[in-house]
Amino acid sequence: MRISVIGTGYVGLVSGVGFASVGHDVLCVDIDEEKVEMINRGEPPIYEKGLEELLGVLVTSGKLKATTDTARAVVKTDITFICVGTPSGEDGGQDLSYIEKAAEDVAEALAKKDDYHVVCVKSTVKPGTTDGLVLRALESSGKKVGDDFGLAMNPEFLREGIALKDFMEPDRVVIGALDKRSMEILAEVYKEFPAPKVYTDLRTAEMIKYVSNALLATKISFANEVSRICEETGIDVYDVMGGVGLDHRINRDFLNAGCGFGGSCFPKDVKALVKYAHELGMSSHLLDAVLEVNEEQPVHVIDMLERNMGSLEDKKVTVLGLAFKGGTDDIRETRALPMVKELVKRGSEVVGYDPEAMKNFSFVVDYIDYAGDLEEALEGADACIIQNDWQEFKELTSDDFAVMKNKIVLDGRRLLDPSKLDGVTYLGVGL
Ligand SMILES: NC(=O)c1ccc[n+]([C@@H]2O[C@H](COP(=O)([O-])OP(=O)(O)OC[C@H]3O[C@@H](n4cnc5c(N)ncnc54)[C@H](O)[C@@H]3O)[C@@H](O)[C@H]2O)c1
């Protein structure tokens, strides 16, 4: 099939590459000219494992191209996926302005197109957005839904860091559609994907995405709250969750205590679901608590360090991991930010290090030092906090920590085995 993808961020580019790699012809669209030029040179504008190699092959073979011209992309393809951002608005609800603009751009092209075209929203949007704001914008083309164009909603569940693998091997593909023809075309797009397909209506598809993220965030905050209780009792929360997670009704995944959840999805999607509930006149006690625990957790980690080493004033503290998780350069809602702010507030000299995210983080935080490599980051430090889970942090040994002044390691992701660390004061979240 001929597919256009609007927005070449984490979701759009990975989707475009994924669709092209199973044989579809893909035209990616972005308003950012620099991104478009990079993609056409085979260089991904974002870091994602395996993306550069695959993109290079697909660009060279002509299966994937990029453009800034939405109208051309829509006219030349059978289906358009809208993958633009849906950030939090000031009131915690969704800022749908990018979605609206993208749908208006598509509408302009639809007006010039004679054959049937499917428009599919892939961005995370609150229930009622696709058959509300998006449909209204598309109908401004003068074309009729169901006859001239189809409307679908296909949420994306990929995780940054392993986005390509997640896209190619999802647990399920959710396809919501307004009309039967769109449903069939979406089924054709995903023919090569072995995952179970959930065929449903637009609003259910939108809600499945929100509820998935809200439940995963709830598991994380639950684990963090339990971990604080464990820390006071001498019980290791990881041992507890190991036992709890063996119950198949519960499942071990996402029960890791740590520094809290970040990233472009969980915080904003939980906030948007809370706002949606309030708009409907409903309360959101549980989700409010999920967010509250998450806000407290980075400060709790700093408190833990202070309790164990005394005042943090004038102490050199290294934060290992600035991206919201390992394997990505994405710093949106990273827990490193509130941790760094808290350390600075308490008078520490902070050194940051991340294999991929230092450039992005330094745009937001220009008041700490950045280290060129791990050794430089740890050299002379009074303490270090492991904030995310890059592989190179998992491989740290006593030898690496030997260059520190005071070998205090606060493992915020429980990556290391303290029994293998000699001469190191090891502190672990939930331990
Ligand atoms: N990042 C994730 O891990 C992830 C996972 C699942 C779902 N999602 C959802 O997918 C959506 C996209 O997220 P993302 O992280 O890829 O966003 P992003 O911010 O990385 O990318 C959005 C891209 O859209 C482009 N854009 C904006 N308006 C445009 C327009 N009118 N025409 C063309 N391009 C336009 C921007 O320039 C940018 O490159 C969001 O709704 C998000 O919640 C994200």
Side-chain angles (χ1 to χ4, degrees):
M1 299 207 69
R2 298 174 308 163
I3 296 176
S4 44
V5 177
I6 302 192
T8 62
Y10 291 87
V11 167
L13 186 57
V14 170
S15 303
V17 165
F19 287 142
S21 70
V22 296
H24 300 303
D25 292 301
V26 175
L27 203 42
C28 289
V29 186
D30 208 290
I31 41 173
D32 186 331
E33 270 177 44
E34 202 184 328
K35 283 189 182 175
V36 166
E37 281 166 19
M38 285 181 78
I39 293 167
N40 283 330
R41 289 198 301 269
E43 297 166 20
I46 49 161
Y47 175 78
E48 199 50 63
K49 194 172 158 220
L51 192 59
E52 187 157 11
E53 295 79 348
L54 198 48
L55 179 66
V57 172
L58 294 167
V59 168
T60 307
S61 66
K63 290 301 280 180
L64 186 144
K65 295 184 182 111
T67 177
T68 52
D69 187 346
T70 307
R72 193 174 136 247
V74 172
V75 169
K76 281 183 165 274
T77 55
D78 309 301
I79 174 164
T80 299
F81 285 88
I82 297 180
C83 303
V84 298
T86 48
S88 286
E90 274 177 13
D91 59 357
Q94 275 195 319
D95 173 358
L96 291 169
S97 58
Y98 298 98
I99 290 280
E100 189 168 22
K101 175 74 176 71
E104 285 166 0
D105 292 348
V106 173
E108 270 181 44
L110 282 182
K112 296 177 205 145
K113 201 174 176 192
D114 294 327
D115 51 341
Y116 181 85
H117 190 91
V118 178
V119 181
C120 180
V121 175
K122 206 177 220 326
S123 301
T124 305
V125 291
K126 71 175 180 181
T129 304
T130 306
D131 64 8
L133 174 137
V134 173
L135 180 58
R136 274 197 303 281
L138 295 175
E139 280 177 337
S140 69
S141 63
K143 301 280 174 158
K144 199 165 179 309
V145 70
D147 293 338
D148 305 316
F149 70 92
L151 191 60
M153 201 285 148
N154 164 227
E156 182 51 54
F157 299 95
L158 62 78
R159 289 164 294 175
E160 288 176 27
I162 42 169
L164 258 181
K165 184 175 182 297
D166 274 355
F167 185 82
M168 300 309 294
E169 301 162 27
D171 288 339
R172 77 301 207 189
V173 174
V174 175
I175 299 173
L178 194 66
D179 56 316
K180 189 159 169 271
R181 199 164 162 194
S182 296
M183 190 78 92
E184 286 165 1
I185 290 175
L186 259 299
E188 182 68 20
V189 167
Y190 280 104
K191 201 173 66 184
E192 299 298 328
F193 292 69
K197 315 282 184 312
V198 178
Y199 295 105
T200 185
D201 57 70
L202 297 171
R203 290 181 181 209
T204 307
E206 290 167 328
M207 195 64 165
I208 288 172
K209 172 66 191 177
Y210 268 118
V211 174
S212 299
N213 275 359
L215 185 54
L216 291 170
T218 302
K219 286 185 88 174
I220 296 172
S221 278
F222 177 78
N224 282 332
E225 185 158 291
V226 171
S227 85
R228 295 182 205 166
I229 301 169
C230 287
E231 284 162 11
E232 296 301 316
T233 49
I235 300 166
D236 182 348
V237 74
Y238 275 66
D239 291 343
V240 173
M241 293 310 183
V244 169
L246 283 173
D247 187 327
H248 74 275
R249 296 168 303 175
I250 297 173
N251 177 308
R252 175 67 182 80
D253 291 348
F254 279 76
L255 288 176
N256 290 331
C259 304
F261 56 79
S264 66
C265 292
F266 288 176
K268 91 167 164 65
D269 292 350
V270 179
K271 282 179 202 155
L273 190 53
V274 164
K275 181 80 192 341
Y276 184 54
H278 295 175
E279 280 166 13
L280 296 170
M282 303 288 149
S283 59
S284 55
H285 305 306
L286 184 60
L287 296 175
D288 293 343
V290 168
L291 291 170
E292 198 181 325
V293 170
N294 199 52
E295 287 310 306
E296 289 166 358
Q297 193 64 9
V299 180
H300 170 76
V301 172
I302 305 301
D303 283 343
M304 190 182 208
L305 185 66
E306 195 170 54
R307 260 204 317 276
N308 283 279
M309 68 182 284
S311 167
L312 297 175
E313 197 165 355
D314 296 329
K315 298 281 167 31
K316 180 175 167 183
V317 181
T318 298
V319 177
L320 296 181
L322 302 173
F324 81 94
K325 63 190 274 195
T328 181
D329 59 352
D330 195 343
I331 60 149
R332 288 177 283 186
E333 297 278 347
T334 173
R335 298 295 86 190
L337 186 60
M339 284 165 83
V340 163
K341 282 186 175 163
E342 196 59 33
L343 286 166
V344 170
K345 198 167 114 192
R346 297 187 195 194
S348 305
E349 285 170 39
V350 181
V351 177
Y353 172 74
D354 189 288
E356 292 291 338
M358 275 192 303
K359 192 171 144 211
N360 287 344
F361 199 81
S362 64
F363 288 141
V364 183
V365 176
D366 60 1
Y367 47 83
I368 64 166
D369 291 327
Y370 292 92
D373 56 33
L374 257 173
E375 191 180 341
E376 191 188 327
L378 292 171
E379 183 107 51
D382 290 292
C384 100
I385 301 175
I386 301 175
Q387 190 282 136
N388 74 18
D389 58 353
W390 276 99
Q391 185 59 33
E392 66 182 86
F393 302 155
K394 293 180 189 166
E395 290 164 5
L396 284 166
T397 65
S398 310
D399 289 347
D400 297 302
F401 297 120
V403 297
M404 292 173 72
K405 187 166 143 204
N406 293 311
K407 296 168 198 55
I408 299 174
V409 176
L410 198 165
D411 189 349
R413 298 280 166 177
R414 297 291 297 276
L415 305 181
L416 304 176
D417 179 353
S419 70
K420 293 190 182 142
L421 295 174
D422 290 330
V424 168
T425 304
Y426 179 89
L427 311 168
V429 168
L431 187 60

